[in-house]
Amino acid sequence: MASTADFKNGLVLKEEGNLWQIQEFQHVKPGKGPAFVRTKIKNVVTGKTVDKTYNAGVKVETATVDRRDMTFLYRDGEDYVLMDEKDFEQINVSPAVMGDGARFLMENTSVQVSMHEGVALFAEMPVSVDLLVQHTDPGLQGDRSTGGTKPATLETGAEVSVPLFINTGDKLKIDTRDGRYLSRVND
């Protein structure tokens, strides 16, 4: 159990049989009336985000979530096989748990997996990764109809939009949260 004074971003609450992670919160003390805490919470399983208000000092049930550093080993059909970096235990994780950023995962990449009672809830990818461009068409000088970008296929098979000056074989820094091109990497 935790009080609203113990709220922090990332805390996982157990409410109505579901697990909710606090995305953001704000303590509010209006001029009239009692203080309260306004929160934005996200369902860990479905990803649904809702706004919820708690009276100040209310006790809420928390869930124990164990964050583990794991290494992505390989794909087994649809699942991702991850190995715990401490005890070398391997687990299979579904694509839904891995999230959209998993399309940028290379073998031996570290990810942080949040576990609750032995079940993987969600995975946090590195914020950015460096990947090689497998294929992209040459950019034509003066072609601004596409906003100065073109599609490029990366070594993981993911496709991203890149500036016209990027060529096949270039190494790029990609943001795993939204798939944006950040910069070119010089080795």
Side-chain angles (χ1 to χ4, degrees):
M1 294 294 259
S3 166
T4 54
D6 301 325
F7 279 11
K8 61 184 177 194
N9 291 344
L11 181 69
V12 178
L13 308 175
K14 191 184 278 190
E15 283 198 1
E16 301 157 12
N18 292 322
L19 297 176
W20 298 86
Q21 182 180 34
I22 296 177
Q23 299 294 304
E24 53 188 71
F25 69 97
Q26 178 183 18
H27 290 277
V28 179
K29 175 67 175 112
K32 289 183 177 179
F36 60 91
V37 179
R38 189 178 296 137
T39 63
K40 183 179 283 188
I41 55 178
K42 176 181 172 186
N43 188 311
V44 213
V45 178
T46 64
K48 177 181 173 184
T49 303
V50 295
D51 294 325
K52 185 157 181 160
T53 303
Y54 297 92
N55 291 329
V58 169
K59 298 273 188 206
V60 289
E61 189 176 355
T62 58
T64 4
V65 175
D66 180 26
R67 296 187 196 305
R68 296 185 190 172
D69 291 325
M70 298 191 144
T71 303
F72 167 60
L73 298 177
Y74 59 90
R75 295 281 304 258
D76 182 18
E78 286 292 308
D79 290 349
Y80 294 84
V81 178
L82 303 174
M83 179 184 66
D84 193 320
E85 293 178 3
K86 287 191 175 124
D87 63 9
F88 306 109
E89 178 185 339
Q90 293 183 14
I91 62 168
N92 285 24
V93 179
S94 71
V97 171
M98 292 298 288
D100 192 42
R103 62 191 176 121
F104 302 111
L105 271 184
M106 291 290 295
E107 292 177 357
N108 297 321
T109 302
S110 285
V111 296
Q112 193 175 61
V113 179
S114 295
M115 309 278 285
H116 174 67
E117 297 176 355
V119 178
L121 299 174
F122 55 91
E124 295 174 30
M125 306 297 139
V127 175
S128 65
V129 291
D130 297 343
L131 298 171
L132 285 172
V133 176
Q134 286 293 106
H135 174 75
T136 187
D137 294 328
L140 299 173
Q141 185 64 26
D143 178 15
R144 296 291 181 257
S145 63
T146 58
T149 62
K150 61 182 179 177
T153 305
L154 303 173
E155 59 186 314
T156 61
E159 193 168 288
V160 295
S161 279
V162 296
L164 296 174
F165 60 83
I166 299 297
N167 299 312
T168 300
D170 285 353
K171 194 172 211 175
L172 308 179
K173 184 177 285 296
I174 303 294
D175 188 328
T176 59
R177 296 170 293 193
D178 55 11
R180 276 182 321 148
Y181 159 85
L182 296 174
S183 67
R184 204 164 25 177
V185 177
N186 297 326
D187 287 334

